[in-house]
Amino acid sequence: MKRLFIALAALAFTGAAVAQGASFADIDADQSGDLTYAEVTAIAPEVTMEAFSAADADRNGSLSEAEFAVLAGSGG
Ligand SMILES: [Ca+2]
Ligand SMILES: [Ca+2]
């Protein structure tokens, strides 16, 4: 349950950055196909490591486009 709340908080934060026009490709500064914490916070500095980790479903330390979609709430 606690993780859900963290994810929802992250959603609200990152949603603001996305509303400003930042897409996955914009955030992926090195075009690696995934987003590191540094890349995410370059666009959305309010995203905490805790929120980032909550979105990182496979725990590989970066966000795939699908993982980022969860963080950004683009399904809504
Ligand atoms: Ca990248
Ligand atoms: Ca990941």
Side-chain angles (χ1 to χ4, degrees):
M1 262 324 159
K2 191 173 184 181
R3 179 160 301 171
L4 177 63
F5 290 130
I6 293 168
L8 288 174
L11 183 161
F13 285 138
T14 312
V18 171
Q20 290 166 17
S23 70
F24 182 89
D26 292 330
I27 300 170
D28 186 15
D30 65 359
Q31 314 263 292
S32 63
D34 52 22
L35 306 181
T36 63
Y37 182 64
E39 286 173 337
V40 172
T41 54
I43 296 284
E46 66 273 30
V47 175
T48 63
M49 180 56 91
E50 196 171 25
F52 181 90
S53 296
D56 183 15
D58 63 1
R59 299 282 181 201
N60 71 346
S62 61
L63 300 186
S64 66
E65 193 159 4
E67 288 168 346
F68 174 72
V70 173
L71 183 68
S74 63

